[in-house]
Amino acid sequence: MRSIPLGTTVTVSVSPKASSSRSSPLSVSLKKQQQPLFLSSSSISRVSHDPPFSKSGVSRASQVVELFPTVSPEIVVREARIEDCWEVAETHCSSFFPEYSFPLDFVLRVDRLVAMLSGFSVPPGCKRTCLVAVIGNSVDDTFLIGGEDFKIGGFDGKFSLNRGYVAGILTVDTVADFLPRKGPLRQRRAGIAYISNVAVRERFRRKGIAKRLIAKAEAKARSWGCRAVALHCDLKNPGATKLYKGQGFKCIKVPEGANWPQPKTSPDIKFNFMMKLLSIPTTA
């Protein structure tokens, strides 16, 4: 059978004599439409009686889909604002404590929210910020309300009227709480940014969101004058380890007998300490 391209109207005319005779063929005429990209309801009903596959083996349904491809939502990575705080807490809890159910999960979210708003104080000279990957948010935040230097905890105090949906989070700082101290006085290390709380909502995983968050954290660390970034990765999470290694992080062996700090979690959780040197752009 000949395949009929999209945008062609099929007109079938049957004469009374032909209808009474089984051997008389139907006369078929083809007319080209002026607007081939728009299908009328009548033309769709006619095409639907044809076989589902053309002579070339391509599904006719797929031909229509190619005309109207699915539009992927835009992903923007930016600093978290006060309007994002509940979704940040929700993303954190659903990623790190997925086994919790109501009402415990709600209590945990409230606890995380209060901790983020009140516990993001940093020592003098240190930096800390929370980054979010937002779905369906415009890069150009035209409708912003609030001052440039207004901060609440670790969040930007500005509001936006065209906010999106938080799909992933990451915290980066120079506080160095979980970095090895230096010297007999155990002084904080400077020039190294620390990444923590990397989390992506389950239905948005494997879309490159974590990589974009890490890249944004590295750019933020460079702007702070850091020469390296570091993090801890759960030994029982090979997927995360593979992700960080793919981004250029190297596992650092802890010296024998050294008491290096690590995140305060369950005592049975073991971590890899990973670090990456940042390439500082040189000015000509």
Side-chain angles (χ1 to χ4, degrees):
M1 178 181 287
R2 292 178 57 191
S3 61
I4 302 174
L6 291 176
T8 302
T9 302
V10 182
T11 305
V12 180
S13 60
V14 183
S15 63
K17 292 183 179 181
S19 63
S20 61
S21 176
R22 294 183 181 179
S23 60
S24 300
L26 299 178
S27 59
V28 180
S29 61
L30 303 180
K31 290 192 304 181
K32 290 286 184 180
Q33 289 183 342
Q34 296 299 322
Q35 295 85 10
L37 291 180
F38 296 93
L39 300 177
S40 65
S41 59
S42 58
S43 63
I44 292 176
S45 63
R46 292 190 185 102
V47 174
S48 64
H49 290 290
D50 289 341
F53 292 91
S54 64
K55 187 175 181 180
S56 61
V58 179
S59 171
R60 298 182 187 278
S62 65
Q63 293 177 344
V64 177
V65 171
E66 289 175 0
L67 294 178
F68 307 98
T70 303
V71 179
S72 300
E74 187 177 19
I75 301 174
V76 177
V77 178
R78 56 168 172 79
E79 290 190 41
R81 296 193 285 260
I82 189 64
E83 68 202 47
D84 304 315
C85 59
W86 177 255
E87 290 188 13
V88 169
E90 198 173 53
T91 304
H92 180 276
C93 295
S94 62
S95 299
F96 293 109
F97 309 100
E99 70 280 4
Y100 285 23
S101 59
F102 188 83
L104 190 57
D105 63 337
F106 179 76
V107 174
L108 183 62
R109 282 161 171 74
V110 172
D111 176 75
R112 291 294 88 194
L113 176 63
V114 173
M116 286 186 294
L117 292 177
S118 62
F120 263 43
S121 59
V122 296
C126 296
K127 304 281 189 179
R128 176 179 283 157
T129 190
C130 178
L131 302 177
V132 292
V134 180
I135 300 291
N137 186 242
S138 173
V139 177
D140 182 18
D141 287 311
T142 309
F143 306 102
L144 285 177
I145 303 173
E148 290 292 332
D149 299 325
F150 179 52
K151 292 273 187 179
I152 300 178
F155 294 89
D156 194 323
K158 292 179 290 187
F159 291 82
S160 174
L161 301 181
N162 58 335
R163 62 185 299 272
Y165 181 78
V166 174
I169 61 173
L170 177 151
T171 302
V172 58
D173 63 64
T174 60
V175 180
D177 278 339
F178 303 118
L179 296 179
R181 299 302 177 97
K182 62 178 182 179
L185 300 179
R186 299 184 60 80
Q187 296 174 319
R188 294 179 184 270
R189 290 187 178 271
I192 303 177
Y194 184 77
I195 293 175
S196 61
N197 298 324
V198 183
V200 178
R201 291 181 187 261
E202 186 173 4
R203 64 180 177 275
F204 294 113
R205 291 171 187 170
R206 301 186 183 280
K207 299 181 184 297
I209 292 179
K211 292 179 181 179
R212 294 186 59 176
L213 284 165
I214 294 170
K216 185 73 171 182
E218 292 176 6
K220 179 63 69 175
R222 288 190 190 94
S223 70
W224 291 340
C226 296
R227 64 183 184 277
V229 287
L231 55 84
H232 283 91
C233 182
D234 188 351
L235 283 173
K236 296 182 180 179
N237 192 343
T241 302
K242 181 180 178 180
L243 166 69
Y244 297 133
K245 286 183 176 181
Q247 296 302 108
F249 284 81
K250 305 293 184 183
C251 293
I252 307 298
K253 185 177 180 180
V254 179
E256 191 72 25
N259 186 22
W260 286 13
Q262 63 179 23
K264 300 177 177 64
T265 56
S266 301
D268 58 332
I269 297 181
K270 305 300 181 183
F271 292 96
N272 261 332
F273 181 68
M274 308 182 74
M275 185 176 288
K276 175 182 178 180
L277 296 178
L278 297 177
S279 56
I280 307 298
T282 57
T283 57

